[in-house]
Amino acid sequence: MKVLRQFMFVPLILFIFACLAYAWPSVKLHGYVYNARNGLALPHVNIVINDTLGASTGLDGHFEFILPDGSYRLQVKRIGFESLSYTVNIPEDTCKVLHIDLQPAVLSMKEEITVFAERLEQDPLNPNRNKWLNNTEDIIQRFEGVNLFKRANFASEPSIRGSSMGQISITIDGAKMFYACVDRMDPITAYIEVENLEQAQLSKGSFDLEHNQTIGGSLNFVTEKADYQQSFFLESEGGYESVSALRRFRFKANYSSNNDWAIRLSGSVKKSDAYYAGKNRLIGNSGFNKNNYALSLGRKIGSKSDLHFYYIGDNAWDIGYPALIMDARKTQSHIFNLEYNAKDITPLWNRFSLKLYYNTVKHWMDDYGRSIEEIFNRDVMPGMYMPMYGTSSTSGLIMSFTIADMQNIFTGRLEYYQLAAFADMDMYPIQADKAPAYLINIADARINNAAISLKYNRILSRQSSFRLDARFDYSLRNVLNSYGKRPLQSLYPESDLQNQYHVFGISANYEYRFNDNISAVFKLGNSQRLPTHLENYGYMLYNVQDNFFYYGNPSLKPERSIQVESGINWKSNKLRWRLTTYASRINDYISGYILEGEFKKYENFSLVYLFGAEGSLSWQVTNSLIFFLSTGYTYGQNTVFNEPLPYIPPAEARLKINYTRERYFFEGEARFAASQNRIAYKTTVEDKTPGFVILNLRSQIILSSQWRLKAGIENILDRYYYEHLSINNLPGKGRNFYLGINYRIN
Amino acid sequence: MKYYIYLLVFMISIFVACNDTTSNPTDNELPSYSKLAEGFAQGTKIEIFVEKTPFVGYNRFHLAISDSASKKSISNAQITLKPIMDMGTMIHSAPYENPLSDKAENGYFSCAVVFIMSGMWQMEISFTRQDNQESGTVKVEFDVAPASLVKKVTGSDSVQYFITLVENDKWQVGMNDIEFCLHQKTSMMSFPAVENMQMSMEPWMDMGNNSGHGSPNNENPVHQTMGHYKGKVNFTMSGEWDINLDINNAFTTIASTKFVVTVE
Ligand SMILES: [Cu+2]
Ligand SMILES: [Cu+2]
């Protein structure tokens, strides 16, 4: 034993000598560069120091420099990869070793927002350094081109470039999950919380078909998994928001052992009273209660693969929906996920994963909390209480693999899922001599969906790269509840309500780099999106917007879209800007067709158009000051009704100034929304929305290695405003002071 | 590689397994009749079978006729009905439909009466047998239960109309066949069928306090034969529904009425 211990000193001494040997004869900086996608060493990477000294990596990805002490700016560049720059301090008598991951540039088609951003801090130009995120909407809202439908002071539903609902895809780690409320109170973003998330990935338009057939875009949330590297970590945070007296607490903890297994726990509780809109106007009935808890377990199998399980549970109750005629009494969700991952299986075969998941949502809503006057005076079904229940369960399986060499990355994915959805409604007239009534809104709809998707990236030359996405879906649909089936069948006497779809989508992306600074992207897509289960099988779904009851249509055709997008990116050390324009032509657009009275059914309409442009700019004025500007505009026209498309957000701009100095972070933000006067009045009933300017100030102070303080003021000017996508013009929050105290140990 | 083939097979098998849909066979049972009354005349026995104990509304009768001596059933006879209600100060009849044919079908002569009032009714059944040319009249009495399936309306043309909703065993959510009979009163004893009207029908769920809604895809009843009008009604939910009915001639609405049904 003693002998062994003595022997252990030998490598240690050797190591110290080696480092001294590096340090003394003045090799001051060396390191390795890897392909971030597959972890392989990356040769021929150019490393430039202070724009003068240069070196390049060898076959093992290694580089080295002989330098005097001091501070250096380092640029890391390789064709086909995103460039990086660092500032490195080399104090006296040290040798610095760097491990650098380069992201393949061809994969930059998705925008990513990292939730807890510590990992990306090396890149100060990343506009997504978010230290102020309080909830899931904060994350989504940070993407340019994403807006939110607001129905309450609670979970908002995203819209991407004017597309929403069934036109866009929202997934959690690629898994499908479906809302249970027929009034769309519960977008699935309601069932995950910030402390569970590592990243949000957005792709706009139909150019990324990995997770779904989509024509509007896809938003995928990546959950944070148990970390093998962190032996112990605990973070907790308490917060308060003045505008709604929101009290919140959240924590996450991680424990791992021997780099062998890991466990992660997280949870949060929130309680909010009714909020105040600008000018101190109380929006009654807008409070909520919510808690969320998650468990994640990981176990390594050998050095290259692992088995991972997670569960996320969510409960919310007494959620007021001031924009609607009902409130959510209770919601419940459970998400289960089991995953096997393997990497570096062979030098070419990089990744394999197999995933099984199941999630279920239950949702109860009613109008018991509303006043008798309101119930008697409302437009639709006055004089009665109408409790409603909805549930959805989705189970699925995803198998995916990646094969990659230096020039090609090929990803294949096979997936299957089944959705089972049911919803019903009771009606209890307040007038004593009237009988109650009952109806089924979704008669146990079943959607069985099998899909194969392929993604191929190729670096064509030093200047150009290419990506191809293709996806095929087969979807078989039916309703099983024979009682609920009857009324739907009365509308389609010839149909047995069963339907199947074969849908194929394809898109191509081409990127050309003119030089180190400027590159252009061109994208083409031809894709479809499947009708939702509500559009196929919904029965008497009330739409607050146009006051119509909607009937599903089992024989709807998929919406088909042809899209183009082109963009120019310009990048230098301090300045980065991007300009994108896009156009989409949608055939068989799904909208309501007036039957008679207050009834509509979903029908396909030929031809609507969407055009738009987005621009963003970030400018690092000094080491501590960053200026960021983004703007976007979408124009949508329905050629059948000859009117603007509904729910198109107005032109918008965001101006942000970030100031970072040692332990202080400040962000000033101005958000400008133009008025929206292009509104739909035939397909649905919208009204014009005036423009507004909102100012926000956020800050974070690192008090010690354990304590952090987050504080800020939102809507500093206390403007009374509402978004164009706010249902029934529900106003935004008034002036809000928030405070968060964060404690962490590791 | 083998692993993936298994996986693929596994996925496909899940897919197939989740695919099978069970179909419910619809049962086609013969209706069972119950005996309401019987009577004798001229060596002939008449048994009256009904589908339901008599009620105010459209009642179908199934008559079985046999020779009282030989007990042989008789399948050829001419039959006429005459329902009578004796109210002491006056007597009146009701709309009725004699058997369409002189020949029994499945052993029965089927006919119908629209009872327009509840209480004790008398029915005179007159027959002429074809085998022995005997004829006679059987009288039976029975009670008619109240129901709200017949509406008496005086039209804008001053004619008294009887609008009858032909009873349906079970009003279901979704599309239902619906049938009305229309008769007019020309005297106390005569209620002929009205065959030349148009009907427009609107189901409405009235939930009180000015709240309610209709339903789409209804088909207005149109005349078939003998004052019977058939259409389709769509109930979008279970509960109590009003069926509003307008009787129109070529120019104007003659009469309007409303039936209330419970949908399961
Ligand atoms: Cu709801
Ligand atoms: Cu109703």
Side-chain angles (χ1 to χ4, degrees):
Chain A
M1 210 50 202
K2 229 173 195 173
V3 181
L4 197 68
R5 200 171 284 173
Q6 275 169 351
F7 269 108
M8 278 174 71
F9 277 102
V10 177
L12 189 67
I13 291 164
L14 276 176
F15 176 77
I16 291 167
F17 267 104
C19 219
L20 278 175
Y22 265 110
W24 200 16
S26 66
V27 170
K28 294 297 260 186
L29 178 68
H30 72 116
Y32 296 88
V33 184
Y34 307 97
N35 181 340
R37 185 69 176 195
N38 55 29
L40 297 178
L42 207 54
H44 314 304
V45 179
N46 290 314
I47 319 279
V48 181
I49 294 212
N50 288 356
D51 296 321
T52 49
L53 262 177
S56 86
T57 56
L59 284 175
D60 55 354
H62 185 255
F63 67 91
E64 60 183 49
F65 287 96
I66 301 165
L67 298 165
D69 308 336
S71 178
Y72 297 96
R73 204 164 50 75
L74 203 78
Q75 282 171 281
V76 188
K77 295 183 202 167
R78 191 190 191 277
I79 294 298
F81 288 81
E82 289 279 351
S83 300
L84 282 180
S85 54
Y86 293 89
T87 304
V88 187
N89 258 310
I90 309 174
E92 243 175 288
D93 293 337
T94 51
C95 64
K96 193 112 183 171
V97 188
L98 294 175
H99 291 272
I100 300 167
D101 284 329
L102 277 193
Q103 289 287 345
V106 279
L107 297 172
S108 64
M109 303 299 177
K110 271 182 206 158
E111 281 181 55
E112 292 177 347
I113 283 187
T114 297
V115 179
F116 288 102
E118 272 76 12
R119 284 170 205 191
L120 277 177
E121 262 177 53
Q122 71 234 35
D123 180 3
L125 289 180
N126 189 326
N128 304 327
R129 292 163 21 122
N130 293 304
K131 301 173 191 306
W132 302 286
L133 301 171
N134 289 330
N135 55 50
T136 320
E137 279 102 81
D138 283 354
I139 307 173
I140 307 168
Q141 235 165 359
R142 298 227 146 197
F143 289 114
E144 72 191 56
V146 177
N147 291 76
L148 294 172
F149 284 94
K150 287 198 170 74
R151 295 177 173 85
N153 173 28
F154 191 74
S156 303
E157 183 185 354
S159 145
I160 303 172
R161 281 181 177 169
S163 293
S164 56
M165 305 183 195
Q167 295 175 319
I168 62 172
S169 148
I170 306 174
T171 47
I172 299 167
D173 288 320
K176 306 287 182 299
M177 186 167 175
F178 294 87
Y179 45 84
C181 174
V182 293
D183 289 347
R184 312 191 66 90
M185 284 175 175
D186 64 334
I188 63 164
T189 50
Y191 300 116
I192 42 178
E193 281 288 343
V194 189
E195 70 273 4
N196 299 328
L197 296 180
E198 179 174 317
Q199 208 174 58
Q201 303 171 325
L202 172 75
S203 94
K204 292 177 252 190
S206 66
F207 308 110
D208 183 347
L209 304 172
E210 181 180 346
H211 298 303
N212 223 335
Q213 293 286 353
T214 177
I215 63 174
S218 72
L219 189 54
N220 182 42
F221 292 92
V222 180
T223 61
E224 195 169 288
K225 316 286 188 315
D227 189 344
Y228 298 107
Q229 253 92 61
Q230 245 170 349
S231 65
F232 179 71
F233 173 81
L234 173 73
E235 180 181 337
S236 62
E237 187 176 307
Y240 182 79
E241 291 185 25
S242 68
V243 76
S244 60
L246 171 78
R247 291 133 281 170
R248 61 177 181 81
F249 173 79
R250 66 171 175 239
F251 81 96
K252 52 178 183 168
N254 191 83
Y255 182 76
S256 74
S257 174
N258 297 328
N259 199 8
D260 192 27
W261 60 269
I263 178 169
R264 182 185 186 278
L265 279 168
S266 64
S268 65
V269 285
K270 285 184 192 174
K271 188 173 172 58
S272 169
D273 296 346
Y275 74 95
Y276 285 86
K279 306 270 168 286
N280 235 15
R281 287 193 224 174
L282 180 68
I283 305 302
N285 187 39
S286 62
F288 67 87
N289 301 278
K290 189 174 195 282
N291 63 42
N292 184 290
Y293 34 90
L295 164 74
S296 157
L297 292 169
R299 170 106 178 106
K300 282 210 170 163
I301 305 168
S303 60
K304 290 175 175 172
S305 61
D306 77 335
L307 197 63
H308 184 264
F309 166 83
Y310 73 77
Y311 164 78
I312 302 174
D314 189 277
N315 288 299
W317 62 100
D318 295 339
I319 312 158
Y321 280 78
L324 305 180
I325 57 175
M326 275 193 258
D327 306 306
R329 194 57 49 214
K330 196 165 94 168
T331 73
Q332 242 173 35
S333 78
H334 304 283
I335 303 173
F336 299 91
N337 189 81
L338 182 68
E339 208 172 310
Y340 170 78
N341 284 302
K343 57 180 186 188
D344 303 335
I345 300 150
T346 72
L348 277 180
W349 187 6
N350 279 275
R351 206 176 53 80
F352 170 79
S353 93
L354 183 67
K355 176 189 179 77
L356 270 164
Y357 66 90
Y358 172 76
N359 58 64
T360 178
V361 183
K362 287 187 167 74
H363 176 97
W364 291 264
M365 58 181 169
D366 60 52
D367 45 4
Y368 295 144
R370 305 298 175 107
S371 71
I372 293 282
E373 293 75 50
E374 184 190 328
I375 288 177
F376 280 135
N377 293 321
R378 71 180 170 213
D379 284 345
V380 64
M381 297 192 162
M384 72 178 91
Y385 291 117
M386 38 185 183
M388 295 175 82
Y389 167 71
T391 179
S392 82
S393 307
T394 313
S395 40
L397 186 137
I398 302 172
M399 188 187 91
S400 70
F401 63 89
T402 304
I403 297 167
D405 63 10
M406 295 312 296
Q407 278 194 315
N408 305 283
I409 303 171
F410 180 81
T411 303
R413 216 172 117 103
L414 221 51
E415 74 168 280
Y416 166 78
Y417 70 85
Q418 187 191 53
L419 162 70
F422 176 86
D424 65 359
M425 172 182 185
D426 277 305
M427 284 147 280
Y428 300 117
I430 294 171
Q431 194 174 310
D433 61 336
K434 292 293 170 189
Y438 173 79
L439 75 90
I440 290 182
N441 297 103
I442 307 172
D444 203 358
R446 292 297 162 98
I447 292 183
N448 290 282
N449 206 98
I452 178 163
S453 78
L454 303 170
K455 199 185 274 290
Y456 175 60
N457 288 274
R458 183 174 167 80
I459 297 163
L460 297 171
S461 70
R462 294 177 70 83
Q463 269 92 38
S464 60
S465 59
F466 175 75
R467 196 184 89 184
L468 198 71
D469 257 57
R471 184 179 168 104
F472 174 79
D473 275 63
Y474 173 72
S475 192
L476 186 70
R477 298 162 174 223
N478 204 353
V479 278
L480 299 188
N481 183 304
S482 55
Y483 175 86
K485 210 170 165 166
R486 276 187 58 87
L488 197 58
Q489 216 141 22
S490 74
L491 297 156
Y492 309 100
E494 264 84 74
S495 160
D496 63 356
L497 306 184
Q498 187 170 315
N499 195 7
Q500 54 180 357
Y501 293 100
H502 309 263
V503 183
F504 181 66
I506 189 161
S507 79
N509 300 257
Y510 177 74
E511 184 172 354
Y512 187 82
R513 291 179 179 232
F514 295 95
N515 55 44
D516 278 356
N517 297 119
I518 192 156
S519 66
V521 186
F522 189 71
K523 306 181 187 181
L524 254 178
N526 185 347
S527 67
Q528 307 181 48
R529 72 103 172 166
L530 290 165
T532 63
H533 63 287
L534 292 185
E535 287 164 340
N536 274 141
Y537 298 123
Y539 183 73
M540 279 196 76
L541 305 176
Y542 174 63
N543 181 340
V544 258
Q545 206 79 349
D546 59 2
N547 259 321
F548 272 87
F549 286 95
Y550 278 71
Y551 292 117
N553 180 351
S555 52
L556 277 179
K557 288 178 275 184
E559 281 186 10
R560 292 178 289 135
S561 162
I562 295 179
Q563 302 187 13
V564 286
E565 182 181 316
S566 60
I568 296 179
N569 295 288
W570 198 90
K571 245 186 266 185
S572 73
N573 291 327
K574 302 260 180 202
L575 193 70
R576 201 186 249 216
W577 56 259
R578 179 167 63 185
L579 215 69
T580 307
T581 59
Y582 58 89
S584 170
R585 178 194 136 113
I586 302 171
N587 270 303
D588 293 326
Y589 176 75
I590 298 173
S591 183
Y593 171 83
I594 297 177
L595 288 174
E596 58 185 84
E598 67 260 284
F599 301 101
K600 277 187 183 179
K601 76 169 185 183
Y602 287 109
E603 198 51 86
N604 294 107
F605 295 92
S606 71
L607 230 48
V608 305
Y609 289 100
L610 279 164
F611 304 98
E614 283 155 5
S616 65
L617 179 143
S618 69
W619 176 33
Q620 181 150 29
V621 187
T622 70
N623 262 343
S624 50
L625 195 67
I626 305 167
F627 174 90
F628 183 75
L629 176 74
S630 75
T631 175
Y633 176 70
T634 306
Y635 177 96
Q637 182 73 13
N638 185 332
T639 64
V640 180
F641 293 95
N642 202 22
E643 67 167 10
L645 280 180
Y647 318 119
I648 303 291
E652 265 197 17
R654 267 166 209 268
L655 182 72
K656 268 194 258 186
I657 296 165
N658 282 14
Y659 181 79
T660 312
R661 181 119 206 196
E662 288 162 4
R663 296 183 290 135
Y664 300 93
F665 305 90
F666 293 100
E667 182 185 80
E669 181 189 32
R671 181 167 163 240
F672 306 88
S675 59
Q676 180 57 288
N677 298 319
R678 288 182 42 78
I679 51 166
Y681 43 93
K682 292 175 198 155
T683 47
T684 186
V685 184
E686 288 188 299
D687 62 354
K688 294 182 181 179
T689 305
F692 57 84
V693 184
I694 299 298
L695 301 183
N696 302 317
L697 189 68
R698 301 158 201 278
S699 72
Q700 184 173 256
I701 301 160
I702 301 174
L703 301 171
S704 70
S705 61
Q706 271 123 43
W707 294 94
R708 272 153 219 251
L709 194 73
K710 302 173 175 186
I713 316 170
E714 291 166 325
N715 194 1
I716 295 170
L717 303 175
D718 199 28
R719 283 283 154 82
Y720 183 88
Y721 72 102
Y722 53 90
E723 314 261 353
H724 185 59
L725 297 188
S726 283
I727 305 299
N728 278 339
N729 296 340
L730 183 71
K733 290 178 189 167
R735 186 185 295 130
N736 180 28
F737 296 91
Y738 73 83
L739 186 74
I741 294 166
N742 184 294
Y743 174 77
R744 60 180 78 181
I745 33 173
N746 53 344
Chain B
M1 201 58 217
K2 225 173 183 178
Y3 182 47
Y4 293 109
I5 292 166
Y6 284 134
L7 240 164
L8 203 71
V9 169
F10 174 59
M11 280 179 71
I12 290 166
S13 60
I14 294 182
F15 189 65
V16 171
C18 298
N19 246 341
D20 57 328
T21 47
T22 46
S23 61
N24 286 352
T26 45
D27 23 350
N28 257 330
E29 279 172 36
L30 278 168
S32 58
Y33 304 141
S34 57
K35 193 153 126 183
L36 174 71
E38 59 180 33
F40 299 87
Q42 319 301 118
T44 307
K45 176 184 179 189
I46 298 185
E47 291 167 285
I48 304 173
F49 290 89
V50 290
E51 294 165 18
K52 254 188 98 175
T53 47
F55 56 95
V56 174
Y58 184 83
N59 290 252
R60 286 188 190 87
F61 290 91
H62 306 280
L63 311 178
I65 303 179
S66 54
D67 190 286
S68 26
S70 70
K71 307 247 186 307
K72 246 179 67 188
S73 100
I74 290 155
S75 54
N76 286 293
Q78 208 184 337
I79 291 168
T80 56
L81 304 177
K82 190 177 177 193
I84 293 163
M85 186 178 226
D86 189 345
M87 298 177 73
T89 51
M90 61 160 188
I91 61 165
H92 66 83
S93 183
Y96 58 85
E97 291 163 3
N98 288 326
L100 286 176
S101 159
D102 293 351
K103 251 181 113 132
E105 220 172 288
N106 299 324
Y108 297 111
F109 294 86
S110 293
C111 47
V113 179
V114 178
F115 295 112
I116 56 176
M117 249 183 178
S118 59
M120 195 55 83
W121 281 78
Q122 202 181 64
M123 186 125 90
E124 293 183 10
I125 304 165
S126 305
F127 62 90
T128 305
R129 283 169 58 168
Q130 249 171 46
D131 54 347
N132 56 9
Q133 296 304 313
E134 285 283 3
S135 56
T137 300
V138 170
K139 286 185 192 176
V140 291
E141 271 195 349
F142 48 84
D143 208 36
V144 170
S148 49
L149 295 165
V150 182
K151 305 289 174 184
K152 181 170 131 187
V153 189
T154 306
S156 56
D157 53 1
S158 304
V159 175
Q160 225 175 60
Y161 290 96
F162 288 89
I163 309 163
T164 310
L165 171 61
V166 176
E167 216 224 6
N168 185 329
D169 274 350
K170 191 182 171 192
W171 296 105
Q172 278 181 293
V173 172
M175 204 54 104
N176 294 263
D177 290 324
I178 190 163
E179 185 177 348
F180 296 95
C181 296
L182 183 62
H183 297 90
Q184 67 182 81
K185 181 179 170 189
T186 52
S187 76
M188 285 307 233
M189 300 309 284
S190 158
F191 297 80
V194 181
E195 307 192 327
N196 56 352
M197 294 288 179
Q198 273 92 55
M199 286 187 177
S200 70
M201 172 186 71
E202 196 201 3
W204 186 258
M205 182 175 245
D206 177 15
M207 305 196 75
N209 305 298
N210 305 318
S211 169
H213 57 84
S215 69
N217 280 23
N218 294 288
E219 286 172 27
N220 281 327
V222 291
H223 185 253
Q224 311 292 311
T225 52
M226 301 195 307
H228 283 249
Y229 294 76
K230 283 185 180 171
K232 282 200 153 81
V233 63
N234 185 12
F235 299 118
T236 52
M237 58 182 77
S238 69
E240 230 166 59
W241 284 80
D242 294 344
I243 298 170
N244 295 304
L245 195 68
D246 284 350
I247 312 291
N248 310 309
N249 65 15
F251 312 102
T252 179
T253 299
I254 301 288
S256 297
T257 190
K258 179 177 102 176
F259 294 92
V260 179
V261 299
T262 299
V263 176
E264 288 165 35

